[in-house]
Amino acid sequence: MIILDTSPATTTAPEQLPHENGHFFEGAEKRLVVYYATSTNTVDTTSSFVLPDLRTVPQSEWEEVLELANCKILHSMSNSEMIAYLLSESSMFISRNCVLLKTCGTTTLLLALPKLLQLAPKLGLQVVDVYYSHKNLLIPQAQSAPHLSFDQECDFLNNKLPSKGVKTAFSAGNMSLDRFFLYSHNSDTFERSPNFSKNEHLKFEMIMENLNESVMEQFIFTGKPHVTAKEVTIKSGISRLIPEMQIDDYIFDGCGYSMNGLSGTNYLTIHITPEKGFSFVSLETNIPMKDYGAFVRKVLKCFKPGKLQINLMLAESEQFKKIVPVFGSPIDSIDDLIKVVQSDSKFIAMNGRSIYWYDLVNAKADNFVYYTLGKHLNR
């Protein structure tokens, strides 16, 4: 177990919040991903054997999982590859062998982990990889155990996950600025074949704060004529970020917006907390792109954030190059993305802001590389 630095990040006390009534909502999401594989005790070589599939779990059982995390299902949609749930606090995606769960606010996400682990033997599966991550929270003391600190979260994960396996924790960033926390558990008993594809582990995430107030007005609905979620998705430009996706969107009473998008095995999810003083937008997708830099520019033009963090997870370079024919060829564009976020003058000029580079962390967990890049975009 390696912990680089898990000291609490700078926090904002409730009395320092900009609203007179003390209203506050923690937009930053906790993110938990559990990957499963067929148990060696389950494999059957007969032609009638059907691979275990998480999508066969009834919604009622997922509702029990989410109750532990203190959130509930609002909407759902599916295609032939995945089920996407819009939640009262963010999203959940279910594929054949993976559960991705993101929850914001004061949800107790990790309390759902034991039940996710219990699903494995019931379905003839074994847990292979677990990833838990989030940026530093504005008011961590408003959370409930086990989310009061990253140390507490790591202790919980260490206690609940199998003792066998490679457990690693990372803390990236400056203690006085923004930080990103990542915990990983990788099985050392599951034998990965040489042809094992880790494409599904790709994750591209943009975390945006201090957003342009006029942009955020589109997601505040109090005292305005009635609008539908679809109208907001189109008018805001969200529908044009990745066209031709199947979209499920939702607007909350008063303010706030969430959407899930599906296209085959690929997903997109966006969540918006628009209130001044703690505005927050997260975007996550697993769509491989030839030009991540162009996509970043498109998203920044749509939301105009004052702060930006990019998190990118992919197979380690050596293995990644071996699976280019399966994946496409974005490996060069990842290097380009890092260059764009560091020094591209067009990127800087696009929003007319100076950019302060504060961190680039290359953290390795098992056979994956996790890049974290951060920017302060001063309006």
Side-chain angles (χ1 to χ4, degrees):
M1 180 73 178
I2 302 170
I3 298 181
L4 302 183
D5 186 356
T6 60
S7 303
T10 302
T11 62
T12 303
E15 61 270 15
Q16 294 177 308
L17 292 173
H19 290 268
E20 293 181 2
N21 62 5
H23 169 67
F24 172 77
F25 185 81
E26 190 75 67
E29 292 127 339
K30 311 171 190 82
R31 180 182 187 270
L32 177 66
V33 189
V34 182
Y35 290 96
Y36 304 80
T38 303
S39 171
T40 53
N41 297 327
T42 308
V43 175
D44 188 336
T45 57
T46 62
S47 58
S48 60
F49 175 68
V50 178
L51 285 171
D53 192 331
L54 290 165
R55 294 169 297 179
T56 63
V57 175
Q59 181 171 315
S60 59
E61 195 158 347
W62 293 122
E63 289 171 347
E64 292 176 9
V65 170
L66 295 171
E67 186 176 357
L68 296 170
N70 198 28
C71 58
K72 61 182 181 179
I73 294 171
L74 300 175
H75 281 181
S76 67
M77 71 172 177
S78 62
N79 62 13
S80 60
E81 302 292 338
M82 194 175 296
I83 303 172
Y85 292 102
L86 270 180
L87 308 180
S88 53
E89 285 84 7
S90 300
S91 293
M92 179 170 67
F93 293 88
I94 312 295
S95 64
R96 184 187 64 78
N97 65 333
C98 176
V99 176
L100 188 166
L101 181 54
K102 298 181 72 165
T103 64
C104 55
T106 55
T107 49
T108 50
L109 174 58
L110 287 181
L111 295 184
L113 177 62
K115 195 161 184 66
L116 291 175
L117 300 178
Q118 291 166 15
L119 283 174
K122 291 171 58 177
L123 294 173
L125 295 168
Q126 59 180 318
V127 173
V128 177
D129 299 308
V130 175
Y131 297 96
Y132 174 71
S133 60
H134 63 82
K135 78 173 294 295
N136 61 297
L137 305 178
L138 290 178
I139 308 183
Q141 63 268 32
Q143 301 291 316
S144 299
H147 296 288
L148 292 169
S149 71
F150 187 52
D151 282 330
Q152 188 181 73
E153 291 170 329
C154 288
D155 288 341
F156 182 90
L157 287 158
N158 287 338
N159 289 331
K160 298 300 179 183
L161 290 168
S163 56
K164 292 184 178 180
V166 181
K167 299 177 182 179
T168 314
F170 300 100
S171 172
N174 188 313
M175 284 180 63
S176 63
L177 295 171
D178 292 301
R179 311 188 77 190
F180 184 75
F181 302 104
L182 168 66
Y183 177 102
S184 70
H185 176 275
N186 305 112
S187 171
D188 59 2
T189 59
F190 176 67
E191 294 185 9
R192 308 174 195 269
S193 71
N195 298 321
F196 179 73
S197 171
K198 297 183 179 181
N199 298 349
E200 62 189 344
H201 288 66
L202 174 77
K203 189 259 305 202
F204 180 79
E205 180 180 35
M206 294 179 68
I207 297 174
M208 295 164 274
E209 296 177 279
N210 298 353
L211 293 112
N212 182 280
E213 290 181 32
S214 62
V215 172
M216 291 295 97
E217 272 295 321
Q218 301 174 92
F219 307 100
I220 297 175
F221 313 113
T222 302
K224 296 178 181 178
H226 174 74
V227 293
T228 65
K230 183 177 181 180
E231 288 170 338
V232 173
T233 300
I234 294 171
K235 185 178 179 181
S236 64
I238 289 173
S239 62
R240 296 188 294 275
L241 292 176
I242 302 178
E244 300 180 1
M245 293 200 86
Q246 178 186 352
I247 289 178
D248 183 18
D249 43 23
Y250 189 88
I251 55 176
F252 294 84
D253 291 340
C255 66
Y257 171 93
S258 289
M259 70 81 72
N260 288 334
L262 291 179
S263 178
T265 58
N266 298 129
Y267 68 87
L268 168 69
T269 185
I270 297 173
H271 301 282
I272 300 175
T273 299
E275 292 101 317
K276 182 180 178 180
F278 48 90
S279 59
F280 181 91
V281 175
S282 69
L283 178 152
E284 178 179 334
T285 185
N286 67 341
I287 298 175
M289 302 179 193
K290 292 183 178 179
D291 189 348
Y292 283 94
F295 182 68
V296 168
R297 295 186 183 97
K298 186 188 293 188
V299 174
L300 291 181
K301 185 176 181 180
C302 183
F303 294 113
K304 298 182 172 63
K307 289 199 297 183
L308 165 68
Q309 183 181 87
I310 293 174
N311 298 312
L312 176 64
M313 183 177 185
L314 67 155
E316 196 169 354
S317 297
E318 286 299 313
Q319 292 197 358
F320 191 70
K321 290 175 181 176
K322 294 177 183 177
I323 58 174
V324 161
V326 178
F327 193 90
S329 55
I331 186 67
D332 293 332
S333 68
I334 288 163
D335 295 332
D336 291 341
L337 169 65
I338 294 171
K339 292 174 185 176
V340 164
V341 179
Q342 283 180 316
S343 60
D344 191 319
S345 59
K346 292 180 181 178
F347 176 90
I348 294 172
M350 185 193 68
N351 285 318
R353 304 167 188 169
S354 61
I355 295 183
Y356 171 66
W357 167 260
Y358 84 84
D359 202 358
L360 166 60
V361 172
N362 180 346
K364 293 186 178 182
D366 187 36
N367 293 317
F368 305 102
V369 176
Y370 209 105
Y371 292 97
T372 298
L373 306 96
K375 292 291 184 183
H376 284 260
L377 311 179
N378 301 314
R379 283 195 288 265

